[in-house]
Short mmCIF file of all heavy atoms in Angstrom, two decimals:
data_model
loop_
_atom_site.label_atom_id
_atom_site.label_comp_id
_atom_site.label_asym_id
_atom_site.label_seq_id
_atom_site.Cartn_x
_atom_site.Cartn_y
_atom_site.Cartn_z
N LEU T 72 113.34 145.68 90.35
CA LEU T 72 113.39 146.15 91.73
C LEU T 72 112.37 145.41 92.61
O LEU T 72 112.72 144.91 93.68
CB LEU T 72 113.14 147.66 91.78
CG LEU T 72 113.05 148.31 93.16
CD1 LEU T 72 114.33 148.08 93.95
CD2 LEU T 72 112.77 149.81 93.04
N LYS T 85 117.29 149.29 97.10
CA LYS T 85 116.28 150.17 97.70
C LYS T 85 115.39 150.84 96.68
O LYS T 85 115.80 151.12 95.56
CB LYS T 85 116.97 151.26 98.54
CG LYS T 85 117.92 150.74 99.60
CD LYS T 85 117.24 149.83 100.61
CE LYS T 85 118.20 149.36 101.69
NZ LYS T 85 117.69 148.22 102.43
N LYS T 86 114.18 151.13 97.12
CA LYS T 86 113.24 151.90 96.30
C LYS T 86 113.17 153.32 96.83
O LYS T 86 112.74 153.54 97.95
CB LYS T 86 111.85 151.25 96.34
CG LYS T 86 110.85 151.93 95.41
CD LYS T 86 109.45 151.32 95.51
CE LYS T 86 109.33 150.03 94.71
NZ LYS T 86 107.92 149.57 94.62
N GLY T 87 113.62 154.27 96.02
CA GLY T 87 113.60 155.66 96.46
C GLY T 87 112.65 156.51 95.65
O GLY T 87 112.32 157.62 96.04
N CYS T 88 112.24 156.02 94.48
CA CYS T 88 111.32 156.82 93.66
C CYS T 88 110.50 155.94 92.72
O CYS T 88 109.41 156.28 92.35
CB CYS T 88 112.11 157.86 92.85
SG CYS T 88 113.15 157.16 91.56
N ASP T 89 111.07 154.82 92.30
CA ASP T 89 110.40 153.91 91.37
C ASP T 89 110.27 154.52 89.97
O ASP T 89 109.53 154.01 89.15
CB ASP T 89 108.99 153.56 91.91
CG ASP T 89 108.64 152.10 91.65
OD1 ASP T 89 109.55 151.33 91.29
OD2 ASP T 89 107.47 151.72 91.81
N HIS T 90 110.98 155.60 89.72
CA HIS T 90 110.84 156.31 88.44
C HIS T 90 112.18 156.62 87.77
O HIS T 90 112.25 157.49 86.91
CB HIS T 90 110.11 157.64 88.66
CG HIS T 90 108.63 157.49 88.77
ND1 HIS T 90 108.03 156.80 89.81
CD2 HIS T 90 107.63 157.94 87.98
CE1 HIS T 90 106.72 156.84 89.64
NE2 HIS T 90 106.46 157.51 88.56
N GLY T 91 113.25 155.97 88.22
CA GLY T 91 114.53 156.25 87.57
C GLY T 91 115.09 157.62 87.88
O GLY T 91 115.82 158.19 87.09
N GLN T 92 114.74 158.17 89.04
CA GLN T 92 115.16 159.54 89.34
C GLN T 92 116.11 159.67 90.52
O GLN T 92 116.51 160.76 90.87
CB GLN T 92 113.90 160.39 89.62
CG GLN T 92 112.94 160.43 88.45
CD GLN T 92 111.59 160.99 88.82
OE1 GLN T 92 111.23 161.04 89.99
NE2 GLN T 92 110.83 161.41 87.82
N CYS T 93 116.43 158.55 91.17
CA CYS T 93 117.20 158.71 92.41
C CYS T 93 118.41 157.79 92.54
O CYS T 93 119.31 158.05 93.32
CB CYS T 93 116.30 158.52 93.62
SG CYS T 93 115.91 156.79 93.98
N GLY T 94 118.44 156.70 91.82
CA GLY T 94 119.61 155.82 91.86
C GLY T 94 119.65 154.83 93.01
O GLY T 94 120.56 154.00 93.09
N ALA T 95 118.68 154.90 93.93
CA ALA T 95 118.73 154.02 95.10
C ALA T 95 118.65 152.55 94.71
O ALA T 95 119.08 151.67 95.45
CB ALA T 95 117.59 154.36 96.06
N CYS T 96 118.08 152.29 93.54
CA CYS T 96 117.83 150.91 93.12
C CYS T 96 118.92 150.36 92.21
O CYS T 96 118.72 149.33 91.57
CB CYS T 96 116.49 150.85 92.40
SG CYS T 96 116.56 151.79 90.86
N LEU T 106 119.38 150.89 86.52
CA LEU T 106 118.33 151.21 87.49
C LEU T 106 117.30 150.09 87.48
O LEU T 106 116.59 149.92 86.48
CB LEU T 106 117.69 152.56 87.15
CG LEU T 106 118.63 153.76 87.19
CD1 LEU T 106 117.92 155.02 86.71
CD2 LEU T 106 119.18 153.98 88.59
N SER T 107 117.22 149.37 88.56
CA SER T 107 116.34 148.19 88.55
C SER T 107 114.86 148.58 88.52
O SER T 107 114.03 147.78 88.12
CB SER T 107 116.64 147.28 89.74
OG SER T 107 116.41 147.95 90.95
N CYS T 108 114.53 149.80 88.92
CA CYS T 108 113.11 150.20 88.88
C CYS T 108 112.66 150.48 87.45
O CYS T 108 111.47 150.54 87.18
CB CYS T 108 112.85 151.41 89.76
SG CYS T 108 113.52 152.95 89.14
N LEU T 109 113.62 150.70 86.56
CA LEU T 109 113.25 150.96 85.16
C LEU T 109 113.48 149.72 84.29
O LEU T 109 113.45 149.80 83.08
CB LEU T 109 114.07 152.13 84.60
CG LEU T 109 113.76 153.51 85.14
CD1 LEU T 109 114.52 154.57 84.34
CD2 LEU T 109 112.27 153.81 85.10
S1 FES B 824 114.12 153.75 92.72
FE1 FES B 824 115.04 153.46 90.82
S2 FES B 824 115.95 155.34 90.42
FE2 FES B 824 114.83 155.72 92.21
#
Side-chain angles (χ1 to χ4, degrees):
Chain T
L72 175 59
K85 305 301 182 196
K86 184 183 280 190
C88 69
D89 219 12
H90 280 65
Q92 300 167 342
C93 77
C96 66
L106 298 175
S107 61
C108 71
L109 290 188

